[in-house]
Amino acid sequence: MTQASPDLKNWSQQLHNTLTFHRHRACLVLSGELSWQQQMLNTVIQPDTKGLFIGSHSLHLQAEATHPKQLKLLLGQETDFAIFRAEEGIEADALGIVSGMIRAGGLCIICLPDQATFKNLPNPLLKHFLNFPLTPKDSLKGFNHYLWQQLQHTALWCTPHNPLPDLSVLKPATDSLEWQGDKTPDQVMALDAIHHVAYGHRKRPLVLTADRGRGKSTALGLACVELIRSGKKHITLTAARLTQVQMAFRAIEEQIDALTYNGFECIEKRPGLVVFEHNNQPYRIEFKAPDDLIAKTNVTDILLIDESAHLPLPMLKQLLQQYSRTVLATTQQGYEGSGRGFQLKLSHYLTQHYPGWKPLQMKTPIRWHAQDPLEKSVNQLLLLEEALPEVKSHQSSPIEACQIERCSVLELLDSSKGKTRLKQIFQLLTQAHYQTRPNDLMQILEVPNQQLWVAQVSGQIIGVVLAVEEGLLPQDLGENRRAQGHLFPQLMAKNTAERSWLALKTLRIQRIAVQLNAQQQGIGSQLLNEFLQANQADYDCVTTSYGATPELIQFWRKHQFVPLHLGLKRDKASGMHSLAMCRPFSATAKALTDSTLAAFQNQFAWNLTESFKGLESALVITLLQGCDFPIVSFPKGYLQQQPYEVVAYQLRQWTLAHINHLATQPLAESWVEKVLQTHPWQQVCLKESLNRKALEFEFKAWLKAHL
């Protein structure tokens, strides 16, 4: 292999000296043939450093090959550098994760072929996002185009013809203020706020947000130590995974000597648990899984929830209800997308139920400089910058002011106006769905059989519909073989044993979102109506699947969608049961929908006594309101002396047939829990704070009025 020139060696050394001196990291693009890339890597990568190669076949001995799926298991860890190679596949999520792992002074190195080759290069990591029979070769290559464009402006570029880019761009425009002591001012404020949660009024949760590298998890660990020192005996940390509190426990372990100096003896230390003893009293800091904390309320002085955006909102609400002193910390931007949508939804709930809650944002980076070039590059690349301003409310009718059109994905990349629209679309999806991730941006730019529709007012996008084509599958598709993608037709074929679902040509709506301050004005309905009208002649049906809530079910029902399947288990992302709905167009689809609906409503009613016994009663009522059950007479003996247990079945069948009339009654939810979901009397009575005799008296009073 050709030896590196003295100029290249000097440039490489200058690069590392500059990064180290300014506590910066940078994105470096190596665009050329493989042999040249390897030569550059051998020169640029410093001895005695260790890094990651994102893929199967590492280009450098000091870089450990790591599959993108493994990266989440490494959260909380650090590395000196990371290498991506286009031929192995570049995933947006992986770029977000790795950017937060690289130490100050390190590099994120992206190896690309020349522009002409990269323009048409399939990304092997796309295969999981494409419906059968599509392959990465069929993708739009839009993310390649986007990546090339963005990196031109945000990275250092090296090519065989220009291997030594100007390094002056790495120097900070202004000196950032350095903090005194071992904590940033933000960490000091966070510790003080956590102390107030632990010792102040109950039911006043703290929401701690920060971008990557701000020392948020470390602050949680330091808070645990300070609370132990001040007398708290039992502190609990939780997160979706134990690895997500690794930095917090590392901070705790680093303070063990200081606690020992204060008379505390560490008597046990293992992953997720540190136990001290002081004056013959035990002091405990431990990790507990969220499920365990909900299943049984644990005795703890304070609950610290790290990476709380990774937990479903219903789970967070349950934790807040069960634990009176709670801190919720979450990464604002990074591998899971922007935390803005999460904050909007959570803050709305907290304001309603916990008016004394406090938000605190940590802004000062602790692991790198405030003007770090890599963080700036990745935030611009993955559209994780500050959200665009919300559209102003309109005095005139929004329906009249709103323009709706279908977007071409590739047109979004052809002009500055298109790029602004792309940013508006992605940030709107991010605000509406807090689980939106950078990979969703990649999917928008790559999937060829999708439709993207927008609603806009005065050039500002305020509504989005994203849908993907499914179906047209062979009916003889093996029963034990699942085609990639095609969620709805395969779900229906499996659960109805009717394989005709596979052959339908369908469109599944993956996302529909309207900007927060433009909601409740009919824009979502107008957008959906125009989308449906434009597609009804070309498709058998339009479908959707989402985490079921009464409000969403009512929205889709208004547009003639009917429920056909409810997942037995709660979705890990939303914490809700996934509901599949269908709006049929063709005669074949209408016949299939009618027969499936009849079977679904009967099975759903039966499952209320078993699989859906714990389903929220308001959701049960909403789902049953659209069902058609045979009319049966009311057992009038129940209003006299006949015991409930003697007429329970008759009451059940009567309730199913009259759910529309009962829905507005004040005790409707408790009636459903008892009669349809067969909850014990004790449980239903507890909810209403009445004994059985009094509750049955109330039931009979409104039943008499109704009858």
Side-chain angles (χ1 to χ4, degrees):
M1 185 176 291
T2 307
Q3 292 292 319
S5 68
D7 287 345
L8 179 57
K9 289 183 178 179
N10 290 337
W11 177 86
S12 175
Q13 192 59 54
Q14 185 184 354
L15 168 65
H16 285 279
N17 290 344
T18 302
L19 293 175
T20 303
F21 179 77
H22 293 295
R23 293 179 55 246
H24 274 175
R25 306 153 320 139
C27 182
L28 176 66
V29 176
L30 304 179
S31 178
E33 294 182 351
L34 177 59
S35 59
W36 175 83
Q37 290 174 358
Q38 289 179 315
Q39 179 186 336
M40 289 294 293
L41 290 172
N42 288 335
T43 306
V44 169
I45 293 174
Q46 299 285 286
D48 304 321
T49 59
K50 290 185 178 181
L52 300 173
F53 177 85
I54 314 305
S56 303
H57 306 94
S58 179
L59 295 183
H60 199 277
L61 290 174
Q62 292 166 230
E64 181 180 355
T66 306
H67 192 277
K69 286 185 177 180
Q70 295 177 295
L71 288 173
K72 282 195 174 181
L73 303 177
L74 303 180
L75 286 171
Q77 300 183 27
E78 292 185 306
T79 187
D80 294 314
F81 64 90
I83 304 171
F84 290 84
R85 183 173 181 239
E87 288 78 2
E88 293 263 354
I90 298 177
E91 191 180 75
D93 272 10
L95 282 168
I97 294 173
V98 165
S99 67
M101 295 175 62
I102 298 172
R103 295 186 182 94
L107 287 169
C108 179
I109 305 170
I110 301 178
C111 297
L112 304 177
D114 60 82
Q115 186 175 7
T117 304
F118 187 53
K119 183 179 179 181
N120 298 300
L121 184 69
N123 185 341
L125 298 178
L126 285 173
K127 60 185 179 182
H128 300 297
F129 304 132
L130 299 169
N131 286 352
F132 169 86
L134 297 175
T135 70
K137 290 182 180 179
D138 303 310
S139 70
L140 298 175
K141 315 298 186 301
F143 189 65
N144 288 15
H145 182 79
Y146 174 78
L147 197 63
W148 187 277
Q149 283 185 335
Q150 292 296 107
L151 290 174
Q152 292 280 346
H153 306 294
T154 60
L156 297 171
W157 272 76
C158 293
T159 67
H161 305 294
N162 181 30
L164 309 177
D166 182 13
L167 298 179
S168 62
V169 295
L170 298 179
K171 296 178 181 178
T174 58
D175 291 332
S176 64
L177 294 174
E178 295 294 333
W179 59 88
Q180 301 296 319
D182 57 352
K183 304 180 189 73
T184 68
D186 286 344
Q187 287 180 318
V188 172
M189 285 194 297
L191 293 176
D192 183 60
I194 294 171
H195 182 89
H196 275 83
V197 174
Y199 286 95
H201 292 285
R202 298 168 68 254
K203 296 292 182 181
R204 292 190 177 180
L206 169 69
V207 177
L208 191 62
T209 58
D211 288 348
R212 304 283 296 281
R214 268 60 183 174
K216 164 185 60 64
S217 295
T218 298
L220 293 182
L222 294 174
C224 290
V225 173
E226 289 200 1
L227 291 174
I228 288 290
R229 187 183 283 122
S230 66
K232 295 297 182 184
K233 292 185 176 181
H234 195 162
I235 300 169
T236 304
L237 291 112
T238 191
R241 293 180 297 276
L242 175 58
T243 53
Q244 291 180 330
V245 294
Q246 185 173 340
M247 290 297 290
F249 274 98
R250 186 180 300 172
I252 293 166
E253 290 174 14
E254 290 173 356
Q255 296 294 312
I256 287 178
D257 288 344
L259 280 172
T260 302
Y261 181 77
N262 286 298
F264 289 84
E265 180 186 358
C266 182
I267 59 175
E268 186 177 359
K269 180 170 71 71
R270 52 186 169 85
L273 177 67
V274 184
V275 181
F276 299 95
E277 192 175 83
H278 181 60
N279 292 335
N280 295 320
Q281 294 290 319
Y283 294 78
R284 189 180 189 90
I285 305 172
E286 66 178 335
F287 171 85
K288 287 270 189 181
D291 290 340
D292 295 339
L293 290 169
I294 289 173
K296 180 184 178 182
T297 301
N298 289 249
V299 177
T300 186
D301 292 313
I302 187 170
L303 175 64
L304 309 176
I305 309 171
D306 204 358
E307 297 303 351
S308 51
H310 274 218
L311 299 178
L313 275 175
M315 179 176 279
L316 291 176
K317 292 175 183 178
Q318 189 66 44
L319 290 170
L320 285 164
Q321 290 169 16
Q322 290 182 222
Y323 297 90
S324 59
R325 301 185 185 276
T326 309
V327 176
L328 299 93
T330 193
T331 304
Q332 199 162 242
Q333 296 174 339
Y335 53 89
E336 77 275 41
S338 172
R340 181 163 168 75
F342 165 77
Q343 290 174 56
L344 289 171
K345 289 177 172 61
L346 181 63
S347 61
H348 178 70
Y349 172 78
L350 290 174
T351 301
Q352 283 186 317
H353 299 277
Y354 302 90
W357 77 282
K358 181 180 179 182
L360 180 63
Q361 184 179 0
M362 299 175 66
K363 298 180 179 179
T364 309
I366 193 171
R367 289 194 277 142
W368 47 75
H369 192 280
Q371 299 175 41
D372 176 61
L374 178 60
E375 183 174 64
K376 182 180 179 181
S377 297
V378 172
N379 283 348
Q380 288 181 359
L381 177 66
L382 302 181
L383 304 181
L384 300 176
E385 303 158 288
E386 286 296 315
L388 295 168
E390 292 182 342
V391 68
K392 295 180 180 179
S393 298
H394 296 273
Q395 299 300 320
S396 61
S397 168
I399 298 294
E400 296 172 4
C402 187
Q403 293 180 313
I404 292 173
E405 64 178 348
R406 182 177 175 182
C407 280
S408 162
V409 169
L410 296 182
E411 285 177 6
L412 297 175
L413 301 174
D414 286 341
S415 65
S416 58
K417 180 182 177 182
K419 291 169 191 170
T420 299
R421 297 185 85 196
L422 175 63
K423 184 173 182 178
Q424 290 177 0
I425 289 167
F426 185 69
Q427 292 193 335
L428 176 55
L429 291 174
T430 297
Q431 291 178 21
H433 301 267
Y434 74 84
Q435 294 282 345
T436 297
R437 307 178 314 179
N439 271 1
D440 294 306
L441 173 64
M442 188 166 71
Q443 285 183 253
I444 289 173
L445 296 174
E446 289 287 3
V447 176
N449 60 337
Q450 68 182 353
Q451 291 190 24
L452 179 63
W453 289 67
V454 299
Q456 57 185 347
V457 174
S458 303
Q460 173 74 43
I461 291 174
I462 60 171
V464 177
V465 164
L466 185 64
V468 63
E469 290 182 5
E470 294 184 334
L472 296 180
L473 292 167
Q475 291 192 46
D476 59 354
L477 191 71
E479 292 187 10
N480 295 322
R481 175 183 162 233
R482 191 184 186 285
Q484 173 64 35
H486 301 277
L487 182 150
F488 189 90
Q490 294 190 100
L491 177 70
M492 299 314 299
K494 175 185 175 182
N495 285 282
T496 66
E498 178 53 77
R499 305 191 70 74
S500 298
W501 281 107
L502 299 174
L504 297 183
K505 183 182 181 183
T506 65
L507 258 180
R508 178 168 60 87
I509 296 175
Q510 297 172 296
R511 296 283 177 87
I512 180 167
V514 174
Q515 189 169 287
L516 196 65
N517 69 335
Q519 292 176 5
Q520 306 301 320
Q521 299 181 43
I523 292 172
S525 289
Q526 185 193 13
L527 179 56
L528 181 56
N529 283 335
E530 294 207 22
F531 169 83
L532 292 171
Q533 187 175 355
N535 287 293
Q536 62 182 354
D538 299 319
Y539 293 89
D540 290 296
C541 59
V542 171
T543 69
T544 187
S545 177
Y546 58 91
T549 66
E551 297 77 17
L552 286 175
I553 293 171
Q554 289 164 359
F555 170 80
W556 290 102
R557 272 221 180 101
K558 185 172 70 173
H559 296 281
Q560 300 173 49
F561 283 74
V562 294
L564 299 180
H565 176 78
L566 186 68
L568 294 176
K569 295 182 179 179
R570 293 184 184 272
D571 180 74
K572 288 184 179 180
S574 68
M576 294 176 278
H577 294 267
S578 292
L579 181 65
M581 300 184 78
C582 176
R583 164 79 183 270
F585 296 135
S586 70
T588 304
K590 287 177 181 176
L592 276 172
T593 299
D594 288 344
S595 62
T596 302
L597 176 60
F600 166 73
Q601 65 183 30
N602 290 325
Q603 190 60 48
F604 174 69
W606 172 259
N607 283 342
L608 288 175
T609 62
E610 290 190 4
S611 305
F612 295 135
K613 198 179 184 79
L615 201 64
E616 295 84 353
S617 50
L619 184 58
V620 173
I621 292 171
T622 305
L623 277 169
L624 289 175
Q625 279 180 298
C627 295
D628 183 22
F629 291 97
I631 302 296
V632 297
S633 59
F634 183 84
K636 293 185 178 179
Y638 177 61
L639 300 181
Q640 300 161 11
Q641 298 297 322
Q642 212 171 6
Y644 170 85
E645 287 73 16
V646 175
V647 294
Y649 177 76
Q650 287 175 276
L651 286 172
R652 173 184 176 78
Q653 298 308 107
W654 178 85
T655 299
L656 289 171
H658 293 81
I659 196 73
N660 289 337
H661 302 293
L662 295 175
T664 57
Q665 297 297 331
L667 291 174
E669 292 186 16
S670 293
W671 177 261
V672 164
E673 288 175 8
K674 178 59 200 169
V675 178
L676 299 184
Q677 296 178 283
T678 63
H679 287 186
W681 276 109
Q682 183 182 6
Q683 183 176 334
V684 183
C685 290
L686 187 63
K687 177 181 177 181
E688 297 294 344
S689 300
L690 296 169
N691 60 34
R692 175 174 173 175
K693 184 177 180 180
L695 182 57
E696 285 204 83
F697 179 83
E698 295 288 341
F699 280 157
K700 291 176 181 180
W702 61 256
L703 283 168
K704 285 177 182 177
H706 173 74
L707 292 169

